[in-house]
Amino acid sequence: MEKIKVAVIGATGAVGQVFMWMLADHPWFEVDYITASAARVNQRYGSTVHWLLPFEMPHAIRDRTISEFSGETMKERGVKIVFSALPASVAAEAEPLLRDMGFYIFSNASAMRYHKNVPILIPETNLETLSLIEDQGYPEKGFVVTNANCVTTGLAMAVAPLRKFGIKQISLCSYQSVSGAGYPGLSSFDITDNCIPYIGGEEEKIEKEIKKILSFDPIVDAYCVRVPVMFGHLEAVWLTFEQEVSIEDVLKTWDEFREVPDLPSTPKLPVLYDGSNTFPQPKYAFWGTPKGMEVYTGRIKKRDNRIGFMLLVNNLVKGSAGGSIQNAEAFVQKYGLL
Ligand SMILES: NC(=O)c1ccc[n+]([C@@H]2O[C@H](COP(=O)([O-])OP(=O)(O)OC[C@H]3O[C@@H](n4cnc5c(N)ncnc54)[C@H](OP(=O)(O)O)[C@@H]3O)[C@@H](O)[C@H]2O)c1
């Protein structure tokens, strides 16, 4: 079977590296074109990238050459899908440009997340919103599909199957790893031996995005904290329900949350609960199959009509590049590009 040619733009950043790792041996997609900032054009990927992931760089990607940002060249080479890991300010210009040239863009940047016809897609939770690409003009035209902010993705996964109980309010505190700020990210002077109780724009994004993704309107209160951890965002969540819900009902609902699209990157158990007192921890961020795609929950508590729990999401995998790849798989499965 011939694979679909894809490009990764922003391939050297924290999210871009996960794209390169996950796409190195993908059954449907073949990376044909990669870009980074202008200073890296014509450089060998394996020599120029500052590899951050906690395992070896796949051999298949080391000798790739970084190309200049050129939609025309991508077109000539037969690229159909573009995975974007650009900073939001750069994406704001680049993504509409590529969309208007007819590319199918799957983006991690926040630049276009709040546009009316642009879905914030998580296949397990709101697959129906993929059809918004038709409102953007597909199949005659290109489109942009985004994925959520990484904290919101973990939250949406745990909350989506619980919506049936009626949720009035979500309160959360996040403990977010430094890889969430990209590379080089924060100065080591600021984060070593320290926590920073503010991440610009993050709390507002969570409130806005969870409402758009799950099409509901609870009160959302969030505090976001940067902690000295490399990978994985922990979240302490309290949900207030319209009536009392038992712990058993919540655990059963997560356990039964399996009727999700069968895609190469979909985990078998999207939300996995473990009753151990010390679960989950960021050191498990790359656990699971595929690695980093499962959301882990633990420490469940009940107070009247409120349920509390901890969750862990891999911010770089399920929370960004892996989520984007899964979105592109959902598109190919629905619209049959293969
Ligand atoms: N990190 C996370 O956990 C996470 C989670 C969800 C969403 N996101 C979003 O995903 C995007 C990428 O995040 P990241 O953490 O990977 O950022 P990053 O580490 O700063 O990487 C940015 C990438 O974009 C390239 N780039 C920067 N300026 C450019 C320009 N002017 N022209 C072309 N390429 C340029 C960089 O190339 P060079 O290496 O050559 O500079 C690098 O490849 C951001 O929009 C971010 O908000 C990140």
Side-chain angles (χ1 to χ4, degrees):
M1 188 176 68
E2 208 177 318
K3 293 188 183 181
I4 298 165
K5 287 190 179 177
V6 305
V8 178
I9 54 176
T12 47
V15 176
Q17 292 180 29
V18 176
F19 274 127
M20 294 299 283
W21 159 61
M22 290 186 78
L23 292 168
D25 192 23
H26 193 279
W28 299 355
F29 304 136
E30 177 194 348
V31 177
D32 185 81
Y33 202 84
I34 59 174
T35 74
S37 60
R40 294 191 204 266
V41 172
N42 290 331
Q43 295 199 33
R44 181 180 167 266
Y45 187 79
S47 313
T48 186
V49 72
H50 182 90
W51 190 250
L52 302 166
L53 303 184
F55 35 76
E56 198 182 2
M57 187 189 312
H59 284 267
I61 64 177
R62 290 171 193 230
D63 288 331
R64 303 303 306 258
T65 302
I66 297 188
S67 300
E68 62 172 344
F69 180 86
S70 163
E72 288 76 18
T73 315
M74 284 194 243
K75 272 265 136 127
E76 281 163 23
R77 295 183 62 91
V79 167
K80 295 256 184 309
I81 287 175
V82 176
F83 290 110
S84 169
L86 294 175
S89 55
V90 184
E93 274 191 40
E95 292 178 2
L97 192 103
L98 294 173
R99 176 203 58 199
D100 293 345
M101 292 182 76
F103 291 103
Y104 309 142
I105 299 154
F106 292 86
S107 174
N108 286 275
S110 57
M112 302 194 63
R113 276 183 202 150
Y114 315 121
H115 290 213
K116 191 167 147 263
N117 292 331
V118 173
I120 306 179
L121 183 63
I122 303 175
E124 293 93 336
T125 71
N126 62 346
L127 187 58
E128 68 288 352
T129 62
L130 177 57
S131 61
L132 282 174
I133 64 173
E134 294 168 29
D135 297 341
Q136 293 184 50
Y138 176 82
E140 286 77 27
K141 294 181 175 167
F143 62 77
V144 178
V145 167
T146 61
N147 44 334
N149 155 282
C150 36
V151 176
T152 315
T153 298
L155 181 68
M157 290 289 289
V159 166
L162 305 178
R163 257 177 314 176
K164 64 182 181 185
F165 298 119
I167 296 170
K168 289 200 299 192
Q169 188 164 355
I170 301 174
S171 304
L172 81 89
C173 289
S174 70
Y175 307 80
Q176 300 184 216
S177 62
V178 291
S179 61
Y183 187 79
L186 291 82
S187 159
S188 58
F189 279 84
D190 293 327
I191 195 65
T192 305
D193 221 1
N194 195 23
C195 295
I196 301 171
Y198 176 69
I199 302 176
E202 198 82 343
E203 292 156 10
E204 294 78 5
K205 281 182 192 166
I206 295 167
E207 174 166 3
K208 210 163 166 179
E209 294 177 20
I210 195 74
K211 291 180 179 185
K212 178 167 175 178
I213 296 165
L214 298 184
S215 306
F216 69 163
D217 196 21
I219 297 165
V220 180
D221 297 307
Y223 275 115
C224 295
V225 181
R226 187 74 69 194
V227 299
V229 159
M230 272 291 280
F231 305 105
H233 293 349
L234 262 184
E235 302 172 34
V237 183
W238 279 98
L239 303 178
T240 306
F241 292 91
E242 277 156 19
Q243 68 249 325
E244 287 207 25
V245 178
S246 70
I247 285 180
E248 293 69 31
D249 279 344
V250 171
L251 297 184
K252 187 162 175 282
T253 303
W254 281 335
D255 195 45
E256 289 172 353
F257 184 41
R258 295 175 197 209
E259 284 171 28
V260 293
D262 184 18
L263 302 166
S265 302
T266 303
K268 294 282 166 282
L269 277 173
V271 179
L272 176 71
Y273 180 82
D274 186 306
S276 150
N277 277 342
T278 54
F279 188 89
Q281 301 181 22
K283 64 163 81 166
Y284 311 146
F286 284 95
W287 281 15
T289 313
K291 276 192 180 69
M293 288 298 285
E294 291 174 2
V295 170
Y296 296 134
T297 54
R299 305 272 346 264
I300 197 162
K301 294 179 183 180
K302 175 174 156 56
R303 299 275 183 276
D304 305 320
N305 63 337
R306 297 188 304 137
I307 292 280
F309 58 89
M310 299 290 300
L311 79 78
L312 174 72
V313 60
N314 184 316
N315 54 298
L316 294 180
V317 185
K318 181 62 181 170
S320 40
S324 247
I325 294 171
Q326 205 189 352
N327 287 347
E329 292 168 356
F331 160 67
V332 170
Q333 189 184 63
K334 177 163 180 187
Y335 292 93
L337 196 75
L338 283 173

